[in-house]
Amino acid sequence: MAQQLHSQLRILVFINGNRGPKADKEISDNKLYEKDKTGYWYSYDDTIISRFQPIKAVYFDGHFPVSYSMHRTNLRFAKAYIFSRFCWISKKSRWVFNHKFNPEGFNSRVESGRIAARNLIDYFQKNKFNTQEITLDFVTHSMGYAYSIGMIEELTGKVRFGKMLSIAPESAAFKGFDLSLFEEVWQYGCNMEGDGEAICWQDGIAPQTGIPGIDKLPKEKGGRVFIPKEWPKKNRGFVKTHHLNWFQWFHLIQPNHRGYFKP
């Protein structure tokens, strides 16, 4: 029975991003949690868990202050927000967003992910899980993307990787990971490709860029999934396009659509 259980050790890892202004001065403790302690994921984790049916879902807090992001300061964040309300032409108005990467902040989050990975290994050992029989699936949002890279780098060769669902990743193009380690890799967010959509409807919290190499993946192995054109404009914008509270279009992805994640 134990051998049969170990052969089915599929574990789902959720990594949240910045938890908002009230928590801005906090820094992740890198601890493993067995529940969504802050309610960050709303009902999305329930939907994904029911779809994947892992033997266990675990949570890590990928929250870091705004100073660790491309915005660097709350003032720069506020200025970008204000300007975005009046700019429409996507190609000509992208200057309003804070596009410049923050290497120090990004790499700090990667290093924290490494610590989290070691805590995850300790959890496996404590529960007598055979790491060689474990497959990890990742779901990240925003700042959680950088955090996941640290975990992936630390865990490579120690576990197997399954699927990666990266929702509105922050600074995605700054650094990638070996996509071939995963069965599927999907990135969900707004479209800033080409002319894209009007700036006032774009994700200003984490201006979207592609995870390196994701556009070269076979169609069945992953890619980028953009907000459907029919999704109401009232549910888009600098904050709404990014925040999970307005990300319900994620539920509209059907089994015959690209980006529909299966067990």
Side-chain angles (χ1 to χ4, degrees), residues 73-117:
T73 69
N74 286 311
L75 178 60
R76 281 166 51 85
F77 177 92
K79 287 173 63 177
Y81 173 78
I82 293 170
F83 284 133
S84 74
R85 309 316 297 158
F86 304 99
C87 295
W88 289 77
I89 303 174
S90 178
K91 255 186 177 177
K92 294 183 179 180
S93 302
R94 293 180 190 177
W95 59 269
V96 307
F97 288 147
N98 295 315
H99 286 286
K100 189 176 180 180
F101 296 128
N102 182 347
E104 297 82 5
F106 191 98
N107 289 327
S108 292
R109 288 180 276 145
V110 171
E111 288 305 311
S112 286
R114 288 182 174 276
I115 297 170

Side-chain angles (χ1 to χ4, degrees), residues 144-168:
Y145 170 72
Y147 200 90
S148 72
I149 290 178
M151 294 192 73
I152 294 166
E153 291 177 348
E154 188 71 19
L155 293 168
T156 297
K158 300 173 184 175
V159 299
R160 290 190 297 241
F161 297 111
K163 303 179 191 296
M164 163 69 87
L165 311 182
S166 186
I167 304 171

Side-chain angles (χ1 to χ4, degrees), residues 8-209:
Q8 300 174 5
L9 292 181
R10 194 133 193 163
I11 293 175
L12 185 54
V13 179
F14 289 93
I15 310 173
N16 61 259
N18 182 285
R19 290 185 276 107
K22 291 183 179 180
D24 190 57
K25 293 183 179 180
E26 298 178 17
I27 292 179
S28 174
D29 58 13
N30 303 317
K31 293 181 180 179
L32 180 150
Y33 293 90
E34 296 183 318
K35 292 182 179 180
D36 178 12
K37 64 173 185 172
T38 63
Y40 183 96
W41 290 98
Y42 296 95
S43 63
Y44 296 98
D45 55 340
D46 296 332
T47 298
I48 296 170
I49 289 170
S50 66
R51 190 85 60 80
F52 277 36
Q53 296 191 358
I55 67 158
K56 189 69 181 176
V58 297
Y59 298 79
F60 287 95
D61 182 12
H63 169 90
F64 282 81
V66 169
S67 59
Y68 286 72
S69 73
M70 290 190 290
H71 298 290
R72 297 176 184 263
T73 69
N74 286 311
L75 178 60
R76 281 166 51 85
F77 177 92
K79 287 173 63 177
Y81 173 78
I82 293 170
F83 284 133
S84 74
R85 309 316 297 158
F86 304 99
C87 295
W88 289 77
I89 303 174
S90 178
K91 255 186 177 177
K92 294 183 179 180
S93 302
R94 293 180 190 177
W95 59 269
V96 307
F97 288 147
N98 295 315
H99 286 286
K100 189 176 180 180
F101 296 128
N102 182 347
E104 297 82 5
F106 191 98
N107 289 327
S108 292
R109 288 180 276 145
V110 171
E111 288 305 311
S112 286
R114 288 182 174 276
I115 297 170
R118 294 194 285 271
N119 289 335
L120 182 59
I121 291 293
D122 289 343
Y123 174 83
F124 293 154
Q125 293 173 345
K126 179 181 177 180
N127 288 276
K128 297 181 170 32
F129 291 161
N130 180 355
T131 57
Q132 295 300 315
E133 300 296 338
I134 289 174
T135 297
L136 292 182
D137 297 302
F138 284 88
V139 182
T140 74
H141 180 245
S142 193
M143 279 188 167
Y145 170 72
Y147 200 90
S148 72
I149 290 178
M151 294 192 73
I152 294 166
E153 291 177 348
E154 188 71 19
L155 293 168
T156 297
K158 300 173 184 175
V159 299
R160 290 190 297 241
F161 297 111
K163 303 179 191 296
M164 163 69 87
L165 311 182
S166 186
I167 304 171
E170 193 268 351
S171 300
F174 177 70
K175 184 177 182 180
F177 55 94
D178 186 353
L179 302 183
S180 68
L181 294 171
F182 285 80
E183 298 166 5
E184 298 176 27
V185 179
W186 297 99
Q187 177 180 340
Y188 304 87
C190 68
N191 184 6
M192 202 176 282
E193 303 297 315
D195 290 335
E197 294 185 299
I199 287 295
C200 60
W201 295 325
Q202 293 277 4
D203 183 344
I205 293 180
Q208 289 297 283
T209 55

